[in-house]
Every structure is written in structure tokens, then in C-alpha cells.
Amino acid sequence: PFVGAIDKAVVQSVSGSASIMQSLQSSFTEMAVGGARSVVAAPQFRFLFVMYSGTYATANMIRTVYEVRDADPSLSLCVGTTVVNTYLSLVKDRALAQIFGASASASAGVPVTAYGCWMGRDAVTMGMVFTAPPKASAALQSFVGWSPSTSDTVATLAIPVVIQPLTTAMHLMGIDLVNR
């Protein structure tokens, strides 16, 4: 629910329909007053649920197949999760821009350049989040001497944070293009 509130706030802020704080306050008030029913009924929650569920289900299926085959899943994992996540993210981003965007252009259509920004964001995210942690973990174990467990945790948590400035800029640019 919190990610959905933030996603809605970003779209509303970029479109000029509400500030981030106004949107977050409104979303958190709705959550507090309406409870779980209002959270699940919110369009941003539903779109995020489908996007994350589809992406992680794809990643888990690919990992399982390659584990049975005792092979490296990196390339298939990168391609498979990127395709699924990009499609589901584009559906989500387009819908949220149209639902929460302020301008007539937001409801009229989404420019190809916005899709390009979002596709680039997803390619970077999926390429890094699902394929880089094992390699970064091995490097941490080798160069820093950390245990596999510590290295896995640090790599899995740090990589999304490190790429966030780039992917956020790409996301905001796409939203801005929709609202112009």
C-alpha cells in the first residue's frame, strides 16, 4: 500500500494536480479510515500487485527450470523478467498517468517517448536487480571476505538502491512526457 501511495503521489506531483505531501496525506488518510478494503480497492494497489506478482512469478519459474537443469539462469532471467516487468509496468504507468494525471493529454494518450523512458527504466532495473546480485555477492565474498549470507543480503539490498537515481529519473521523465 505504501508503494502505491508513493506511485500515486509522484504521478500527481509531476502532473501538478497535488503536491507529494498532499497526495500522501490523502492516501494515508484513506488507508486509515477505509482500512484494508480501501487499500485493495485502490487502482494503484491492484496494478502494483499484478506487476510485482507477475515479475516475481516469472523470475521464480526461470530460476526453478535452470536449477533443475543445473545451468546458469542469468541471461534467461534478465530477458524473461525484463519482458514481463516491462509489459506490466507500461500497463501500470499508462493507467496511473491517465487516472491521476491532471492534463487533457494524460487521458488522451501516452506518447511513444514516455513508453521509451519506461522501457529503458525497466531494462536497467531488471538487468540489475535479478542478475547482478549473485555476481556482486561473489565479488564481496572474494574481495571483502564476507560470508555468502551477508554478501547475498548486501548485494540484493544495495543494487536497487544504487540504480534508483537513474531509474527514478527515467520514470519521472516518462510521467512528465504524458502530462505535457
Side-chain angles (χ1 to χ4, degrees), residues 62-155:
I62 291 169
R63 282 192 179 120
T64 300
V65 166
Y66 278 82
E67 188 176 299
V68 168
R69 293 181 175 179
D70 196 29
D72 181 17
S74 296
L75 180 59
S76 295
L77 194 58
C78 182
V79 171
T81 57
T82 298
V83 168
V84 170
N85 184 265
T86 298
Y87 174 74
L88 294 175
S89 290
L90 291 176
V91 170
K92 173 194 68 84
D93 292 334
R94 176 177 167 244
L96 295 183
Q98 290 176 331
I99 293 168
F100 300 119
S103 71
S105 63
S107 60
V110 176
V112 173
T113 50
Y115 284 124
C117 289
W118 294 333
M119 288 172 68
R121 171 207 61 199
D122 294 338
V124 169
T125 301
M126 295 302 101
M128 296 299 291
V129 168
F130 286 107
T131 60
K135 293 171 185 5
S137 176
L140 289 171
Q141 292 170 48
S142 176
F143 296 115
V144 183
W146 288 350
S147 71
S149 175
T150 300
S151 297
D152 289 349
T153 301
V154 169

Side-chain angles (χ1 to χ4, degrees), residues 37-51:
R37 183 170 288 154
S38 70
V39 169
V40 174
Q44 64 272 22
F45 175 84
R46 291 179 181 191
F47 282 107
L48 284 165
F49 181 81
V50 169
M51 184 190 73

Side-chain angles (χ1 to χ4, degrees), residues 152-162:
D152 289 349
T153 301
V154 169
T156 300
L157 295 176
I159 287 173
V161 173
V162 169

